[in-house]
Amino acid sequence: MKYVLFLNLLLWGLAGPTVQAQDTTRRVLLGIDLSKNVPALPFLNNYRYFFERGFLVEFPAYVPLGTSRSSLKITPGYCNIAANPVYRNLDYHNRGFLLKAGVDYFRSRRISVGGGINAAAYDEFGTFVLSGPFFGDLRMPFRRRVFGLGLEGHWARWWYLGPRFFISPELRFVIYAMWPGKSPEPYYIPGMGATSRDMPFTGGLSVRFGYAVAERR
Amino acid sequence: MRYFLIFLLAVNWCLGCKDPCLPSKEPQVKVIVEWQGGPASDGFRKVYAPDGWEVPFRENTYFLPVSLHADSVTYFFEGVTGKVDTLTILYTRRFFFESEQCGMVAEIENAGGQRSVRTTFQQANVVFSLNEPLEVGRRNIYEVRIIP
């Protein structure tokens, strides 16, 4: 069974009103990421840039920064994914933690830009299997701990579907570095996405659907 | 210029015929028997491993599986006269991650510093070759030539 479960939960209790995003009217916006919850997506592109099974949870917290246009965003998270078809004869798993910190700025009510630093510490593990119909399979365990650091920039458009609901696509780009940079190349970096394996950047399009809560007074 | 491009396309097509990956499963050694005449099936009643498993005859010859767990394999060749010859192939194994497409692969090489075969045949030679440059389309050549 192929499934991807993505949770995007809010952390309450941090300084200031915690919000999914905060637009120029200082309303609180709550949303989920549709692009990571649509089960059909892993079938695209022969799984090359998507995982087969996954559990992702992120806890974004937005802290307003004095003005009505910008906020500090801090996002800790956890991921546990499997991507069997990526590397031939390896059942690939990726499990670890991520931390993102950055600033989001609303240029207008409909457009926001942002950037920040992403960090990830995770384990990649699995078993390479070389089939041996006659003498028996050779199974070679694979495990390594990886640290990643990235610089992210993103741009989002906000469309309101009536007074409360909105849909928001976001374009994201991350330049990253890995330690250690061993072979095989990392397939997925928590918080930064699936890599191209050849070049040190990731990118993607997220589509979020959400609800604008009434302004807090 | 047009013919040159056609030539380049042909070369590219031929190189594309090659298996891009080393084996990611048990390699097999093709048996080439240099008989006075006739294919191998005329000369051997059966080929089998020490545990009795019989190697199937296909493509007019035998393909001997190579163990990924050991540095040698032994097979018995039973002739039509009932005579049984022994062939032991010695090799070294190397495993490495070749690419995303190929995954973890096995490379079989000549055993360093020692003979690659021990046999009761008159003569046997084994070839472990990754590429045969003069023959496009051939790669991962594992062959044993036997002179009974």
Side-chain angles (χ1 to χ4, degrees):
Chain A
M1 181 181 176
K2 321 291 185 192
Y3 64 88
V4 175
L5 176 63
F6 181 86
L7 296 178
N8 195 282
L9 304 176
L10 299 178
L11 266 187
W12 297 96
L14 293 184
T18 51
V19 295
Q20 166 71 13
Q22 190 156 14
D23 69 4
T24 55
T25 63
R26 297 185 72 87
R27 288 191 304 177
V28 174
L29 308 177
L30 306 176
I32 64 168
D33 190 334
L34 293 178
S35 53
K36 291 188 178 64
N37 281 294
V38 177
L41 278 179
F43 295 96
L44 294 175
N45 204 6
N46 197 23
Y47 295 93
R48 184 172 164 80
Y49 294 105
F50 296 94
F51 26 85
E52 189 180 16
R53 301 184 305 277
F55 174 74
L56 289 173
V57 57
E58 292 187 357
F59 303 96
Y62 286 73
V63 182
L65 289 176
T67 71
S68 62
R69 288 177 175 269
S70 57
S71 56
L72 174 68
K73 184 168 79 170
I74 301 171
T75 308
Y78 171 79
C79 98
N80 187 346
I81 69 164
N84 291 347
V86 177
Y87 302 106
R88 187 175 176 183
N89 67 17
L90 170 66
D91 61 328
Y92 176 89
H93 292 79
N94 182 315
R95 187 167 61 202
F97 297 93
L98 63 101
L99 180 63
K100 299 191 242 186
V103 173
D104 274 18
Y105 174 76
F106 276 79
R107 293 178 56 194
S108 69
R109 189 167 176 266
R110 299 188 184 281
I111 294 177
S112 69
V113 294
I117 297 174
N118 298 348
Y122 59 100
D123 290 322
E124 291 182 298
F125 59 96
T127 304
F128 285 104
V129 179
L130 284 79
S131 72
F134 182 57
F135 292 102
D137 294 347
L138 179 65
R139 307 178 70 83
M140 305 177 71
F142 160 78
R143 175 179 284 275
R144 67 182 177 192
R145 178 150 295 177
V146 186
F147 299 94
L149 198 61
L151 283 176
E152 175 177 329
H154 55 257
W155 177 95
R157 182 77 163 85
W158 304 78
W159 281 294
Y160 286 86
L161 312 171
R164 296 289 183 190
F165 289 97
F166 66 89
I167 190 163
S168 168
E170 181 186 76
L171 283 171
R172 178 180 54 83
F173 183 83
V174 180
I175 300 174
Y176 67 85
M178 307 296 306
W179 296 274
K182 287 180 180 174
S183 176
E185 298 80 3
Y187 161 68
Y188 177 79
I189 308 170
M192 300 181 225
T195 70
S196 70
R197 261 82 85 200
D198 302 319
M199 292 168 283
F201 63 80
T202 67
L205 171 68
S206 298
V207 180
R208 298 161 301 178
F209 178 75
Y211 180 79
V213 181
E215 181 180 359
R216 302 180 79 180
R217 296 184 185 278
Chain B
M1 184 65 183
R2 184 175 58 180
Y3 295 109
F4 180 68
L5 287 175
I6 292 172
F7 171 76
L8 284 182
L9 283 173
V11 169
N12 184 55
W13 180 79
C14 287
L15 291 177
C17 299
K18 284 193 175 185
D19 185 349
C21 302
L22 284 165
S24 57
K25 59 180 182 181
E26 270 176 0
Q28 294 182 328
V29 177
K30 182 181 180 181
V31 176
I32 299 173
V33 184
E34 298 184 356
W35 298 98
Q36 298 302 318
S41 61
D42 294 340
F44 296 123
R45 184 178 295 157
K46 64 178 180 179
V47 176
Y48 57 98
D51 64 358
W53 181 81
E54 197 169 321
V55 180
F57 183 80
R58 61 183 171 90
E59 299 173 25
N60 282 331
T61 189
Y62 295 96
F63 290 86
L64 310 176
V66 171
S67 174
L68 297 170
H69 302 273
D71 291 331
S72 68
V73 287
T74 298
Y75 288 97
F76 301 108
F77 292 71
E78 184 178 319
V80 291
T81 60
K83 183 193 175 196
V84 177
D85 280 297
T86 304
L87 176 74
T88 299
I89 302 173
L90 300 103
Y91 50 88
T92 56
R93 299 160 291 150
R94 192 167 76 91
F95 303 101
F96 62 96
F97 183 83
E98 187 170 19
S99 68
E100 185 176 322
Q101 177 191 4
C102 302
M104 184 68 73
V105 296
E107 183 179 1
I108 305 298
E109 299 173 316
N110 286 313
Q114 57 179 317
R115 295 178 58 190
S116 295
V117 287
R118 291 179 192 149
T119 184
T120 58
F121 287 118
Q122 181 182 334
Q123 190 177 336
N125 294 300
V126 67
V127 175
F128 299 116
S129 173
L130 299 183
N131 273 301
E132 196 148 340
L134 297 180
E135 287 190 53
V136 290
R138 295 195 73 197
R139 197 188 173 196
N140 305 332
I141 299 148
Y142 303 113
E143 294 173 346
V144 58
R145 293 182 175 272
I146 296 171
I147 301 176

